[in-house]
């Protein structure tokens, strides 16, 4: 496919307007931090006037409630905007908001028209799986420098993704700061924003200075609870190093987040007000919650939060958003806010250290390697298309995941398209853990369906368009199965 349309689209969209939007937003955020609470309401009302879809109108309504005078939302934005360095405000916050919410519609429309795919909102890249600590249940194993992604390939992938409209990148690993070319690549691509998932142990004063100097980086630091929980999973002394890293970043005005993995051992701790208030005081701007997934080294179903515990995590995250001045997100339970699973290029994809193109950072199967093809070709792969055709996998967006909530979906896609496991042991989620994951999914269905039917009627709006296309998708899925079984001709 000729991507000349991208440059033409950029001319239509006008790069100067995009840059101007970032400058205006950056200055507006500076003014907001020094003005009255009423200006937050004016901002929310202005967004409401621009909203032209059900989803955008829902977001606008939420913003008006969240930013009401005296609300926790006003406290949050005052704390956030009042403490960050001007370079970070301009190069991370403004770039992230403009990049995610004011995307060039011409690129997405042309991609759909000419290639039949959407433009992903973001991309996740793991350039290295090397790490200086060994965490219980981590999917990083024993890797060396020779296993790292070629920096020229990473540079090319970022460039191609930008041409497809991607303006936000997530870097994970391993420990990303082990990858020496990383900061140079981020500096080169200073027109976009990066979030980096890190264990935090390498963020000394010099590294914190560099992060603020670049401005377009937000570290998301992993933490499992207080000292007991963090050191138990990540090794003695890790908690103290994380606290020092947060101090270094806060003192310099960086934007940074926390990242907590919920397991049966720590779930009540990480959703407690005491834990979150500690992180607020440390300067965290926002936070991510993930549930332990049985992948990687020695996967253990018993370490996963039970369905009832997963629902307790959902309740805790919603309570935190209502009561505390910080925004937090739950990678699984917030499927109601994203229209379900994001994977396989619907909203994002993952490229690992070997260049394997995976549907998701937790889904370690691939049919293609980015070293052998363009990003656009990878997005068009039959494997990815098969997963996208099945999304959102069911009517209940509290069960969005094809790995643990609908494990039959992942198994079928892998088997149909001959996807290979991208590291030793990755196949366990479709082999030795098959029975246990099916049992988990069945139990979750009982818990989540009751919650969905009583508390999430509003989320049905996200499914309207999908339901209109359901018949076409079902027909396409059925044909895919027939072709795979040899009962239908391939066009």
């Amino acid at each position: 496919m000729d991507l000349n349309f991208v440059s033409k689209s950029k001319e239509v969209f006008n790069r100067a307007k995009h840059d101007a939007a970032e400058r205006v937003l950056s200055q507006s955020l500076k003014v907001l931090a020094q003005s009255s609470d009423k200006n937050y309401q004016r901002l929310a009302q202005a967004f409401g006037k621009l909203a032209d879809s059900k989803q955008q109108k829902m977001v606008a309504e939420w913003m008006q409630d969240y930013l009401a005078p005296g609300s926790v939302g006003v406290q949050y934005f005052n704390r956030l905007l009042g403490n960050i360095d001007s370079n970070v405000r301009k190069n991370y916050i403004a770039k992230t908001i403009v990049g995610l919410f004011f995307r060039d519609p011409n690129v997405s429309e042309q991609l759909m028209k000419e290639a039949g795919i959407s433009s992903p909102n973001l991309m996740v890249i793991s350039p290295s799986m090397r790490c200086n600590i060994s965490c219980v249940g981590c999917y990083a194993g024993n890797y060396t420098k020779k296993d790292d992604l070629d920096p020229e390939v990473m540079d090319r992938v970022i460039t191609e993704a930008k041409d497809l409209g991607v303006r936000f990148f997530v870097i994970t690993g391993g420990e990303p700061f082990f990858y020496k070319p990383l900061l140079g690549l981020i500096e080169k691509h200073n027109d976009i924003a990066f979030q980096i998932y890190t264990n935090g142990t390498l963020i000394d004063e010099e590294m914190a200075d560099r992060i603020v100097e670049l401005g377009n980086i937000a570290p998301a630091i992993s933490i499992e609870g207080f000292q007991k929980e963090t050191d138990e999973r990540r090794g003695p002394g890790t908690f103290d190093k994380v606290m020092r890293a947060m101090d270094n970043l806060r003192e310099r005005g960086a934007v940074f987040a926390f990242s907590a993995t919920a397991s049966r051992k720590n779930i009540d701790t990480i959703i407690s007000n005491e834990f979150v208030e500690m992180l607020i005081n440390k300067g965290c701007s926002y936070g991510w919650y993930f549930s332990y997934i049985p992948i990687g080294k020695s996967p253990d179903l018993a370490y996963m939060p039970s369905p009832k515990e997963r629902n307790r995590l959902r309740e805790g995250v919603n309570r935190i958003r209502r009561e505390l001045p910080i925004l937090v997100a739950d990678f699984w339970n917030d499927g109601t806010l994203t229209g379900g699973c994001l994977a396989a290029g619907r909203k994002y994809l993952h490229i690992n250290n070997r260049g394997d193109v995976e549907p998701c950072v937790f889904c370690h199967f691939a049919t293609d390697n980015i070293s052998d093809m363009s990003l656009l070709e990878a997005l068009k792969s039959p494997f990815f298309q098969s997963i996208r055709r099945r999304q959102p996998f069911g009517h209940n967006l509290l069960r969005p995941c094809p790995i643990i909530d609908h494990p039959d979906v992942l198994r079928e896609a892998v088997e149909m398209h001959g996807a290979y496991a991208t590291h030793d042991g990755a196949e366990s989620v479709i082999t030795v853990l098959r029975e246990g994951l099916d049992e988990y999914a069945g139990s979750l269905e009982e818990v989540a369906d009751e919650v969905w039917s009583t508390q999430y009627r509003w989320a049905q709006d996200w499914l309207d368009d999908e339901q209109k296309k359901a018949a076409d998708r079902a027909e396409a899925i059925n044909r895919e199965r027939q072709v795979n079984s040899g009962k239908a001709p391939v066009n």
Side-chain angles (χ1 to χ4, degrees):
M1 175 180 169
D2 184 2
L3 288 184
N4 286 334
F5 77 87
V6 174
S7 59
K8 294 177 182 177
S9 178
K10 285 183 177 179
E11 292 174 7
V12 173
F13 184 65
N14 194 333
R15 181 69 225 183
K17 289 184 179 179
H18 194 277
D19 292 342
E22 290 179 359
R23 290 194 299 271
V24 169
L25 181 58
S26 178
Q27 289 302 311
S28 298
L29 293 174
K30 179 180 180 180
V31 172
L32 279 173
Q34 303 167 348
S35 62
S36 71
D37 291 0
K38 292 181 180 179
N39 282 333
Y40 288 107
Q41 270 294 292
R42 295 188 182 104
L43 178 65
Q45 290 167 0
F47 184 85
K49 291 179 180 178
L50 294 173
D52 59 4
S53 69
K54 289 181 180 179
Q55 291 86 353
Q56 289 178 348
K57 289 176 181 176
M58 288 165 60
V59 172
E61 290 174 2
W62 173 83
M63 283 183 63
Q64 291 192 37
D65 289 339
Y66 190 68
L67 296 175
S71 69
V72 68
V74 170
Q75 296 175 44
Y76 168 64
F77 275 99
N78 281 340
R79 179 176 72 84
L80 174 67
L81 300 177
N83 295 331
I84 60 172
D85 183 87
S86 60
N87 193 45
V88 176
R89 182 180 65 244
K90 177 180 68 175
N91 288 306
Y92 183 78
I93 295 184
K95 277 184 168 57
T96 299
I97 293 174
V98 172
L100 289 176
F101 297 103
F102 297 94
R103 307 178 74 213
D104 181 356
N106 297 289
V107 172
S108 295
E109 290 172 8
Q110 201 70 22
L111 269 176
M112 182 58 68
K113 179 181 177 181
E114 298 194 21
I117 63 170
S118 301
S119 171
N121 291 64
L122 60 95
M123 173 179 287
V124 183
I125 304 176
S126 297
S128 175
M129 295 304 291
R130 291 179 291 140
C131 193
N132 57 327
I133 61 177
S134 181
C135 303
V136 175
C138 179
Y139 57 77
N142 296 319
Y143 294 84
T144 64
K145 189 174 181 180
K146 67 180 177 60
D147 297 312
D148 288 355
L149 186 64
D150 185 330
E152 291 186 2
V153 172
M154 184 170 175
D155 182 28
R156 172 176 65 81
V157 168
I158 293 173
T159 300
E160 289 181 4
K162 285 160 59 175
D163 285 343
L164 297 179
V166 181
R167 315 305 299 172
F168 188 79
F169 289 77
V170 175
I171 309 299
T172 184
E175 171 49 52
F177 288 117
F178 257 24
Y179 187 67
K180 296 301 182 185
L182 178 62
L183 295 183
L185 286 169
I186 289 175
E187 183 174 24
K188 177 179 180 180
H189 295 279
N190 60 7
D191 56 333
I192 53 178
F194 294 83
Q195 179 181 270
I196 300 177
Y197 282 104
T198 171
N199 62 41
T201 61
L202 301 181
I203 302 179
D204 54 16
E205 293 186 356
E206 182 180 356
M207 179 65 75
D209 284 335
R210 181 67 170 142
I211 287 170
V212 172
E213 178 188 8
L214 290 171
N216 60 335
I217 304 175
I221 302 176
S222 298
I223 188 167
E224 311 301 327
F226 296 106
Q227 185 167 23
K228 175 181 178 297
E229 295 84 5
T230 300
D231 287 359
E232 184 177 282
R233 186 180 184 213
R234 296 182 168 269
T238 303
F239 179 81
D240 289 338
K241 293 177 181 177
V242 166
M243 293 296 101
R244 283 196 293 274
M246 290 184 177
D247 289 339
N248 290 335
L249 292 166
R250 183 192 68 253
E251 290 165 2
R252 287 158 178 78
V255 164
F256 64 97
F258 73 87
S259 173
T261 299
S263 71
R264 293 193 183 184
K265 292 189 174 184
N266 71 344
I267 191 165
D268 290 319
T269 298
I270 61 175
I271 59 174
S272 69
N273 281 20
E274 182 184 7
F275 173 71
V276 179
E277 286 170 348
M278 174 192 74
L279 295 172
I280 291 171
N281 291 333
K282 279 292 177 179
C284 286
S285 304
Y286 57 100
W288 285 100
Y289 285 94
F290 297 89
S291 292
Y292 167 76
I293 302 297
I295 54 177
K297 297 182 298 183
S298 304
D300 185 358
L301 290 172
Y303 204 64
M304 292 176 68
S306 69
K308 289 184 178 179
E309 288 170 332
R310 179 163 152 183
N311 186 53
R312 198 154 73 240
L313 174 64
R314 179 193 65 82
E315 294 172 335
V317 167
N318 285 329
R319 188 199 71 250
I320 290 165
R321 287 194 284 234
R322 289 193 309 268
E323 297 179 359
L324 299 178
I326 189 169
L327 283 178
V328 293
D330 183 330
F331 194 76
W332 276 266
N333 288 322
D334 278 339
T336 53
L337 302 180
T338 60
C341 175
L342 306 174
R346 173 181 170 252
K347 296 293 183 182
Y348 98 109
L349 69 154
H350 176 235
I351 295 177
N352 72 11
N353 62 302
R354 295 191 175 106
D356 298 311
V357 185
E358 299 173 337
C360 167
V361 72
F362 298 101
C363 184
H364 299 161
F365 295 92
T367 57
D368 301 293
N369 191 286
I370 202 64
S371 300
D372 304 324
M373 62 179 54
S374 70
L375 178 60
L376 181 60
E377 290 171 323
L379 285 166
K380 293 166 61 179
S381 76
F383 180 44
F384 272 30
Q385 290 183 51
S386 179
I387 294 173
R388 290 198 297 267
R389 272 195 291 270
R390 288 159 172 76
Q391 290 166 337
F393 312 131
H395 73 284
N396 187 340
L397 300 182
L398 292 173
R399 298 189 289 117
C401 182
I403 307 172
I404 60 173
D405 301 341
H406 302 275
D408 56 311
V409 171
L410 177 61
R411 289 195 293 262
E412 184 176 45
V414 168
E415 291 166 5
M416 275 189 177
H417 300 284
Y420 57 86
T422 54
H423 63 81
D424 291 341
E427 69 282 355
S428 64
V429 295
I430 61 172
T431 55
V432 297
L433 299 179
R434 178 176 184 145
E435 184 177 344
L437 286 174
D438 284 345
E439 182 179 344
Y440 171 89
S443 299
L444 177 69
E445 183 175 2
E446 294 179 10
V447 174
D449 279 7
E450 181 179 355
V451 176
W452 174 262
S453 64
T454 57
Q455 299 182 36
Y456 285 88
R457 294 185 183 278
W458 58 267
Q460 187 65 36
D461 287 336
W462 286 106
L463 293 175
D464 284 349
D465 291 340
E466 293 296 330
Q467 288 179 332
K468 293 174 185 176
K469 301 172 185 175
D472 290 340
R473 290 207 317 276
E475 182 179 346
I477 291 169
N478 185 55
R479 177 171 176 76
E480 180 184 9
R481 289 170 178 157
Q482 291 178 334
V483 169
N484 187 70
S485 64
K487 296 179 180 179
V490 180
N491 289 335

